[in-house]
Amino acid sequence: MTEISIGGASIPPARARRIDVSSPAAAARIRARYRSEARFKAYGLASLAIAGIFVVVLIVDILRQGLPAFWQHSVMLDVPVLAEVVDPEGKRETSAIRGADYFQVMRAALEGAIPGIESRGASKKLNRLLSTGAPDRLRDMLVADPALIGRTIKLPLLLSADADLYFKGAGTKIVSRPGVGVATLSGTSGEVTVLTAANDFADELVTIKRDLQKRLAAALAEAKRLEPYGQRTAARVQELRTEAAGFQERIEQPGVEEILDSRMPSLLVAINGGLIKVTKLGQSSVTGETLLPLRSNSEVSPGGWRVVKYLTAESDRKLGDQEVAFLERFRDLGVVQKGFNWLFFATGDSREPELAGIRGALLGTALTLLVTLALCLPIGVMAAVYLEEFAPKNWLTDLIEVNINNLAAVPSIVFGLLGLAVFLNFFGLPRSAPLVGGLVLALLVLPTIIIAARAALKAVPPSIKEAALGVGASHQQAVFHHVLPLALPGIMTGTIIGMAHALGETAPLLMIGMIAFVVDVPSSFTDASTVLPVQIYLWSDLPEPAFQYKTAAAIIVLLVFLFVMNGMAIWLRKRFERRW
């Protein structure tokens, strides 16, 4: 029987739907679907590639700026420990040794390395190449062993931040070429004139004329730009036109000596073991000031002297020509040493970039996170266990759950304001202390841990608890002896991710005063301190280039901690994860 009769009427059997898979239209639809899938896959791969490029560029830029900060330069010199300076009374008392004028000892070591410096200004610039912390190691050595007083010690002396950056590649590029003609000198110190038998400086003179043409064009363009402003800029326009007229006059006199200023690349002559900075330039003669003293004023044959050029103008450099000359002499003497920057991890913050370190910030971060973990882990886990396993399902628990979820999305600075109002203003806890920072971060992380712990408890199959109850265990025993241990890997993963979130927070800690400049390393939970993200924020706002390198280095340290913590979370999940 193939038909069904209803009320005398017959209903024909349902026809099977015919699927078109072979017609040209069906083939076209299939090709279109494949093209759509290919486009979607290409869009996904392109998105991943773009995101990967941004991440790589960010990490490479941070590493490029931060890695140099992990190295530091010093000069290895023979330091005469003068007894009349370090211990004039000869009592070898610790207090007298600590309070001695070690900078006088440092000056004696520098003068021994570069003798013949007569100018007081040059001597000051030479001394400023050393860090203010250069005598610290010598002082500690003499306190530990007073028998060293009166001897000469070979010791690395820490360079200043600017000198250190120079050896890291932040200085000027230097080019040189041998002199062609015979050179004669008018003296060995002060202002010296160098005459050559050939036009050794003709090319440099042409370069100066071209530089004057550029400055002439720039002055005229600036004057033209300011002209429409009328009387407000009339004086400046007149000054620019006068300056342009002077440039034009100098350009039209090709054979006349040129006066070099700080806005031009520095030209120097290295001759007879000394260095002369050129101030007047002609085709076959130069006149300049002696930066490094000459051994003699004897005539020098071709190739025995060199023309040196510092390509970056002196006005655009942190170090002047005199300081660069000293540093290059140290390099030639082979006394410049490069070593790992242990001070970066062994000292607290400092106004001197080369002495600034992150030890105080690291210990402050550790103490703050200890307080945070001690509070949020037990409270968060117990709250999650109660809400998931013991709390009655009514409007009150629903309200609590909604508020926990909302707190996880509250901006972090709100918790900082709460900590400022409650912990500092109401309870009077110490400002800028790890205790208060830990309390604020615990409030911030607690909702995240509760949500993660509840999700881990839900992931445990109900049959495990039911089996425990079936063999006579109480509800509490079933939860704490069976469900909670199996959910512990997920709970620990959520806790570590929450702590990593707390590690990178800055805004709430700024509100409770942890932005203060703290030099001392904290030793307790109530000592004033700062944390690593805030230290990065403070250094990033400073104008010194060395602090910018320190900022990137501190970011690298912070990223390493974050990677380690997230790696631990992944390892715990893989190690203890159960396949139900």
Side-chain angles (χ1 to χ4, degrees):
M1 182 176 181
T2 59
E3 296 183 355
I4 301 176
S5 298
I6 299 179
S10 61
I11 300 177
R15 290 185 176 183
R17 182 183 176 186
R18 182 180 179 185
I19 300 176
D20 181 13
V21 295
S22 58
S23 67
R29 287 195 300 271
I30 293 174
R31 288 194 299 270
R33 188 179 67 210
Y34 286 162
R35 287 196 300 270
S36 177
E37 292 177 355
R39 283 196 301 270
F40 182 77
K41 182 179 180 180
Y43 293 154
L45 292 175
S47 300
L48 289 176
I50 293 174
I53 290 172
F54 282 135
V55 171
V56 169
V57 169
L58 175 63
I59 293 177
V60 168
D61 184 63
I62 292 174
L63 292 177
R64 180 182 61 83
Q65 294 189 43
L67 289 179
F70 292 105
W71 304 96
Q72 201 163 37
H73 289 87
S74 58
V75 287
M76 181 68 72
L77 300 180
D78 292 326
V79 181
V81 184
L82 307 176
E84 61 272 16
V85 175
V86 176
D87 188 20
E89 298 181 1
K91 296 181 179 180
R92 306 294 174 93
E93 295 179 353
T94 301
S95 58
I97 295 175
R98 286 192 178 278
D101 182 12
Y102 284 91
F103 286 101
Q104 187 173 346
V105 178
M106 300 296 106
R107 284 195 294 270
L110 292 173
E111 291 172 359
I114 305 180
I117 303 297
E118 299 177 356
S119 169
R120 186 175 181 182
S123 180
K124 287 183 177 180
K125 292 178 180 179
L126 178 60
N127 294 325
R128 282 200 294 266
L129 293 178
L130 293 182
S131 168
T132 56
D136 293 345
R137 183 172 179 178
L138 177 60
R139 181 185 294 111
D140 295 337
M141 290 176 61
L142 297 182
V143 169
D145 186 8
L148 296 175
I149 297 175
R151 301 181 184 178
T152 298
I153 306 173
K154 202 171 190 64
L155 193 68
L157 304 181
L158 186 65
L159 291 173
S160 67
D162 292 333
D164 180 55
L165 288 179
Y166 178 84
F167 288 120
K168 290 176 179 176
T172 177
K173 185 178 180 181
I174 300 175
V175 296
S176 66
R177 61 174 177 82
V180 177
V182 177
T184 57
L185 302 167
S186 64
T188 59
S189 61
E191 188 175 79
V192 177
T193 299
V194 181
L195 298 174
T196 66
N199 292 336
D200 282 278
F201 307 105
D203 292 340
E204 282 72 21
L205 192 59
V206 172
T207 302
I208 296 300
K209 298 297 184 181
R210 291 174 181 171
D211 182 73
L212 291 174
Q213 289 177 344
K214 294 179 182 179
R215 293 166 67 176
L216 169 64
L220 292 176
E222 181 68 9
K224 185 177 181 180
R225 186 184 69 85
L226 295 177
E227 274 183 348
Y229 294 98
Q231 294 297 324
R232 290 181 298 171
T233 59
R236 177 57 181 162
V237 170
Q238 183 60 36
E239 180 183 347
L240 288 170
R241 293 196 178 279
T242 302
E243 185 178 3
F247 291 151
Q248 184 66 43
E249 182 179 356
R250 293 167 64 181
I251 293 171
E252 293 174 352
Q253 299 177 353
V256 178
E257 279 188 334
E258 283 294 340
I259 306 297
L260 305 187
D261 57 35
S262 61
R263 290 185 293 174
M264 299 177 180
S266 299
L267 187 66
L268 305 101
V269 175
I271 188 170
N272 281 347
L275 193 65
I276 302 169
K277 178 184 177 180
V278 177
T279 55
K280 295 180 182 180
L281 174 66
Q283 291 184 350
S284 59
S285 66
V286 293
T287 301
E289 293 292 330
T290 303
L291 299 183
L292 297 175
L294 282 65
R295 291 192 296 266
S296 67
N297 61 348
S298 59
E299 188 178 88
V300 184
S301 59
W305 60 283
R306 304 187 67 84
V307 178
V308 182
K309 183 181 290 186
Y310 298 165
L311 297 184
T312 305
E314 189 175 21
S315 59
D316 298 331
R317 286 186 265 123
K318 294 286 291 183
L319 295 176
D321 292 333
Q322 182 70 77
E323 290 93 335
V324 173
F326 287 144
L327 293 176
E328 288 298 321
R329 175 57 59 87
F330 284 138
R331 196 202 298 271
D332 295 338
L333 293 173
V335 298
V336 179
Q337 289 190 343
K338 178 182 177 181
F340 189 76
N341 187 7
W342 294 107
L343 288 176
F344 185 66
F345 296 97
T347 60
D349 199 5
S350 173
R351 297 295 184 190
E352 303 295 333
E354 70 276 7
L355 300 178
I358 59 172
R359 183 183 176 190
L362 284 177
L363 289 180
T365 301
L367 295 174
T368 301
L369 290 183
L370 281 176
V371 175
T372 303
L373 184 63
L375 290 174
C376 66
L377 180 59
I379 295 175
V381 172
M382 291 299 101
V385 170
Y386 176 77
L387 290 174
E388 192 63 32
E389 300 292 343
F390 296 99
K393 305 301 179 183
N394 53 32
W395 66 269
L396 181 59
T397 55
D398 291 341
L399 180 63
I400 293 175
E401 292 178 6
V402 169
N403 279 282
I404 290 174
N405 293 328
N406 288 337
L407 284 174
V410 170
S412 59
I413 195 170
V414 175
F415 292 98
L417 293 171
L418 177 64
L420 175 64
V422 176
F423 300 130
L424 295 184
N425 295 339
F426 184 77
F427 288 106
L429 295 178
R431 183 179 294 270
S432 187
L435 175 62
V436 182
L439 290 171
V440 172
L441 293 181
L443 295 176
L444 174 67
V445 175
L446 196 57
T448 303
I449 294 180
I450 293 175
I451 294 171
R454 292 192 65 187
L457 292 169
K458 287 180 181 179
V460 178
S463 58
I464 293 177
K465 183 172 68 173
E466 293 169 359
L469 295 174
V471 296
S474 66
H475 188 197
Q476 180 178 346
Q477 288 175 327
V479 171
F480 285 98
H481 294 178
H482 299 278
V483 177
L484 185 58
L486 294 175
L488 196 58
I491 293 174
M492 294 305 299
T493 300
T495 302
I496 293 174
I497 293 175
M499 296 301 294
H501 177 206
L503 177 63
E505 280 296 338
T506 303
L509 302 179
L510 298 181
M511 300 304 300
I512 62 170
M514 296 192 86
I515 194 175
F517 174 71
V518 181
V519 178
D520 297 329
V521 177
S523 57
S524 69
F525 292 101
T526 56
D527 289 344
S529 68
T530 186
V531 292
L532 203 52
V534 176
Q535 188 69 75
I536 292 171
Y537 171 77
L538 291 173
W539 282 349
S540 66
D541 199 40
L542 297 175
E544 291 88 346
F547 275 119
Q548 305 305 315
Y549 286 86
K550 290 288 180 77
T551 300
I555 291 174
I556 292 175
V557 175
L558 180 62
L559 288 177
V560 168
F561 276 107
L562 291 175
F563 289 156
V564 169
M565 295 180 73
N566 284 280
M568 288 176 58
I570 295 172
W571 180 82
L572 286 173
R573 185 171 66 248
K574 295 292 184 182
R575 175 69 176 79
F576 298 103
E577 188 176 25
R578 296 289 184 91
R579 299 293 182 181
W580 310 109

